[in-house]
Amino acid sequence: MNTRVLTGITTTGTPHLGNWAGAIRPAIQASTQPGVDAFFFLADYHALIKCDDPARVARSRLEIAATWLAGGLDTDRATFYRQSDIPEIPELCWLLMCVTGKGLMNRAHAYKASVDQNTAKGVEADDGVTMGLFSYPVLMAADILMFNAHKVPVGRDQVQHIEMTRDIAQRFNHLYGREFFVLPDVVIEEEVATLPGLDGRKMSKSYNNTIPLFEGGARALRAAVSRIVTDSRQPGEAKDADSAHLFTIYRAFASQAESAQLRAQLADGMGWGDAKEALIQRLEQDIAPMRDRYDALISNPGRIEEILQAGAQKARKLAQPAIEALREAVGLRNLTSGPVQAAAGAKKAAKGARFVSFRDDDGSFRFRLLGADGNELLVSGSHADPKAAGALTKRLQQPGVAVVTLDGLAVVASLDGAEVARGAPAADAAAADAQAVQVQDALASLAQ
């Protein structure tokens, strides 16, 4: 069985050297591996959350598509498409929104960061927060679940969204009585290169420290490299390659032998100007052939459009039957098809509480107790071993084993006298008592 891997690229900017080394190149390489079914898409609906400049979004869609194709993406092997060309994705997003608790969205990092910034400014908490920003994780879940991706490579800042996708998928599966969705696993690629920018910080447009990949041609690349900050050591003085971000960039593109040679030359006193020239030549060795392909593609957008439309057709062969099955499951079926036998069972299943496991940002494992309405009742402490967390959820479901108490206004569940999970503090004592009853009822229903 192939492993389906899915990656989205938000279309709000022009790719730079850091994007290529850190995301595009490793993804293209991974797509060539045996047993990998790769899905790459231009996340242009997501772009609308961040950018209200239509010209910028349109240009970015063209540039990013051309970059992936110029970089060698095999579209016969991988599925390459625009998010906005798959109408089943926003439809699935709505189906998922109808089963997703607002409380889950309240905990999303991007939303919380916006609220914190507004609080610091002394303005209304939701000032400037659009529903696109607030519900962004649900659209991301639809992207992933539409094609039942097994693995989703992301940076650490996106781990929470994959865990939310798992929560949403579990909720939908539970409500409608079937395993409609695969629960995706997050993949954090620790060894993927993170390139420093011109000033040594992470290469990012936010810092205005990027080296262009194709934009501006060879002249722009040379001009950017010439601005890389170096120390004050003169030609003839030994230089420490490991403390020079110029060398870090070089090493991301060079072979081990080439890197060893430049390291030795720096130690022998090579001047920074010569080192920058060596970096330019090494970059051009890889980038110049791709740049030629990129320029040809950019000048022929019709060809890119053909490739993306072919990718959309390929993707919709999976999306269309999947959305039909989901429409049937939720009751949006043809009136002549008759009742679905699983409907009664699904309705019964919808009334149950459940445990949901997840992986925290620090890599530890935790679990939540959700009520029948999908609201969070308890959250566990952290566990290094997922099996340990799973063992606790099993014990909590045994009749009469868990002890539910109040710690101030927070509900606490204990096993053998030790706290294993607690709820968020209630607004007042009456609400805390009500929450304790909810927890007790939820655990009692699971024990049955």
Side-chain angles (χ1 to χ4, degrees):
M1 177 180 170
N2 287 346
T3 298
R4 185 165 292 167
V5 181
L6 181 141
T7 299
I9 314 98
T10 307
T11 56
T12 54
T14 300
H16 54 71
L17 203 66
N19 300 141
W20 169 254
I24 302 172
R25 181 177 65 181
I28 292 175
Q29 291 172 343
S31 71
T32 66
Q33 300 302 308
V36 172
D37 184 14
F39 280 62
F40 300 121
F41 68 97
L42 306 181
D44 47 359
Y45 279 145
H46 287 291
L48 303 182
I49 299 169
K50 304 177 182 179
C51 180
D52 59 5
D53 181 349
R56 179 182 170 188
V57 172
R59 181 66 185 177
S60 180
R61 295 201 311 169
L62 175 65
E63 291 175 340
I64 291 176
T67 298
W68 280 74
L69 296 171
L73 178 64
D74 183 353
T75 55
D76 290 331
R77 182 183 181 94
T79 304
F80 186 52
Y81 58 97
R82 274 182 305 230
Q83 183 186 37
S84 60
D85 286 333
I86 315 298
E88 292 79 11
I89 290 175
E91 181 171 358
L92 174 58
C93 181
W94 180 254
L95 297 183
L96 298 179
M97 287 182 73
C98 292
V99 304
T100 300
K102 179 177 178 291
L104 183 63
M105 294 297 96
N106 287 342
R107 293 190 292 274
H109 294 327
Y111 172 64
K112 289 173 66 177
S114 294
V115 170
D116 290 344
Q117 290 171 7
N118 286 335
T119 301
K121 294 176 184 176
V123 299
E124 199 272 327
D126 286 332
D127 184 59
V129 176
T130 66
M131 287 306 299
L133 172 64
F134 183 72
S135 58
Y136 164 83
V138 187
L139 179 56
M140 186 170 175
D143 294 326
I144 297 166
L145 299 177
M146 186 77 263
F147 301 106
N148 274 330
H150 301 101
K151 296 185 180 297
V152 185
V154 294
R156 286 198 171 276
D157 61 330
Q158 292 288 314
V159 169
Q160 184 197 44
H161 289 151
I162 309 305
E163 298 300 341
M164 286 181 165
T165 297
R166 292 175 61 91
D167 285 352
I168 294 167
Q170 285 180 315
R171 172 69 172 163
F172 191 97
N173 289 346
H174 179 75
L175 278 172
Y176 293 105
R178 255 184 61 195
E179 297 300 310
F180 290 97
F181 299 122
V182 170
L183 303 187
D185 290 323
V186 65
V187 178
I188 302 175
E189 299 182 327
E190 302 284 9
E191 296 181 3
V192 168
T194 299
L195 293 193
L198 305 181
D199 56 2
R201 294 180 293 176
K202 177 183 176 182
M203 191 177 293
S204 169
K205 282 188 169 62
S206 300
Y207 298 143
N208 194 30
N209 67 352
T210 62
I211 298 174
L213 182 58
F214 301 132
E215 187 180 26
R219 180 178 296 180
L221 184 143
R222 175 175 289 275
V225 171
S226 70
R227 298 196 305 274
I228 293 177
V229 176
T230 56
D231 62 33
S232 59
R233 295 181 214 188
Q234 298 299 310
E237 293 184 72
K239 298 168 181 66
D240 178 17
D242 291 328
S243 64
H245 43 277
L246 180 151
F247 181 74
T248 302
I249 298 171
Y250 184 90
R251 190 171 54 191
F253 290 85
S255 66
Q256 289 186 350
E258 289 169 330
S259 298
Q261 181 180 11
L262 183 59
R263 179 190 293 276
Q265 289 173 325
L266 288 169
D268 288 342
M270 173 188 265
W272 287 121
D274 290 337
K276 289 179 179 180
E277 183 61 32
L279 174 58
I280 291 169
Q281 295 302 320
R282 188 61 192 79
L283 292 175
E284 280 295 307
Q285 185 177 326
D286 284 3
I287 293 173
M290 294 192 295
R291 186 187 297 123
D292 290 341
R293 295 194 293 269
Y294 176 85
D295 290 341
L297 286 162
I298 286 289
S299 64
N300 186 9
R303 176 57 185 148
I304 298 177
E305 184 67 24
E306 289 175 4
I307 293 171
L308 289 171
Q309 289 299 330
Q313 290 180 11
K314 185 177 177 182
R316 293 194 69 196
K317 286 181 180 179
L318 297 173
Q320 287 175 312
I323 204 69
E324 285 302 319
L326 295 170
R327 288 172 63 89
E328 183 84 6
V330 301
L332 304 179
R333 62 184 74 96
N334 187 299
L335 295 179
T336 63
S337 63
V340 176
Q341 291 295 323
K347 185 176 180 181
K348 181 179 180 181
K351 297 180 180 179
R354 66 197 185 283
F355 283 104
V356 176
S357 61
F358 66 100
R359 194 171 187 177
D360 221 335
D361 293 346
D362 61 3
S364 63
F365 297 87
R366 305 170 73 188
F367 61 82
R368 298 186 180 100
L369 173 62
L370 302 182
D373 57 1
N375 287 329
E376 180 181 283
L377 301 178
L378 297 173
V379 182
S380 75
S382 299
H383 300 274
D385 182 1
K387 294 181 180 178
L392 287 177
T393 63
K394 290 181 180 179
R395 288 198 62 202
L396 286 169
Q397 295 178 68
Q398 295 175 7
V401 173
V403 176
V404 178
T405 57
L406 286 175
D407 178 11
L409 296 177
V411 180
V412 173
S414 302
L415 292 171
D416 303 325
E419 177 183 323
V420 295
R422 69 166 48 222
D428 51 42
D433 289 338
Q435 287 183 8
V437 172
Q438 282 184 297
V439 170
Q440 290 169 335
D441 290 346
L443 293 175
S445 70
L446 289 169
Q448 295 174 2

